[in-house]
Amino acid sequence: METLEFVLETKGSTAVHVVEPEATVLEAVGKMCAAHVGALLVVRDETLVGVFSERDVMVRVVLDQRDPATTCVAEVMTPAVITVPLHSSAHEAMSVMTSRRVRHLPVTDGSRIAGVVSIGDLVRWAVSDRDRLIDELEEYVAGRYPG
C-alpha cells in the first residue's frame, strides 16, 4: 500500500504554496490563480496557522460581501488545520478527507510541511492503482504473471 510520500513524489510538483495571514484575499487569490491551485497554506513564522481555499473565498468573502482588497486572509481562512503524517496511506488520507469534508490536506514530516495532497491527487492515485491491479490480474489469468 502506497504512502502519501509516494503520492507526493508522483504528483509532479513538490511546491507548497503559502500565504501570510496578513495578506489580502485579493493577493491570495492572485497566488492561487498563478499557481493553478485551489488552496494555500497560511503560514506565520514557519508555523502552519490555517488553510485558505476557494471555499473560504466563496463562503466567507463573496457571500458575506466582504471587499477582497481590504479583507485579510486571517479573517476568512479555515483555522482548524487537519494534517496527516507523510507515512500515512493514500487510503487513510482519502478517509480523512471524506469524513472531515476537506479537499486539501497538508502532509507533515514531523514538524515540517512535506506537501499538500488534494482530492484530485488521490483520485488520480486511486485510478492508477486500480489500473495496475487490473493489469496484474489480466497477466495472471493469461498465465504471463511472473510470480
Side-chain angles (χ1 to χ4, degrees), residues 3-144:
T3 66
L4 292 179
E5 183 172 19
F6 175 80
V7 174
L8 288 172
E9 287 171 2
T10 58
K11 91 179 231 182
S13 173
T14 58
V16 176
H17 301 283
V18 300
V19 66
E20 294 180 348
E22 297 78 25
T24 66
V25 168
L26 191 59
E27 292 168 332
V29 169
K31 282 186 172 191
M32 291 165 65
C33 289
H36 303 286
V37 296
L40 300 171
L41 300 185
V42 184
V43 176
R44 175 183 287 128
D45 299 325
E46 298 184 26
T47 301
L48 181 61
V49 296
V51 174
F52 180 71
S53 70
E54 295 163 327
R55 186 177 294 160
D56 294 322
V57 173
M58 297 305 291
V59 173
R60 298 189 186 115
V61 179
V62 174
L63 283 179
D64 287 349
Q65 298 182 358
R66 292 177 176 234
D67 181 359
T70 60
T71 303
C72 290
V73 168
E75 298 172 40
V76 293
M77 70 182 185
T78 301
V81 182
I82 302 160
T83 64
V84 290
L86 187 60
H87 60 79
S88 300
S89 74
H91 287 291
E92 290 169 325
M94 288 180 96
S95 177
V96 168
M97 292 175 99
T98 302
S99 66
R100 301 300 295 268
R101 299 186 51 121
V102 296
R103 296 184 306 170
H104 300 89
L105 195 57
V107 180
T108 57
D109 185 11
S111 62
R112 180 182 74 83
I113 300 167
V116 176
V117 291
S118 70
I119 194 67
D121 296 330
L122 294 178
V123 167
R124 276 187 293 284
W125 167 82
V127 168
S128 175
D129 190 53
R130 295 292 185 260
D131 288 346
R132 180 193 52 77
L133 179 59
I134 289 168
D135 289 345
E136 288 176 3
L137 289 170
E138 286 175 347
E139 291 292 315
Y140 178 76
V141 168
R144 297 185 301 262

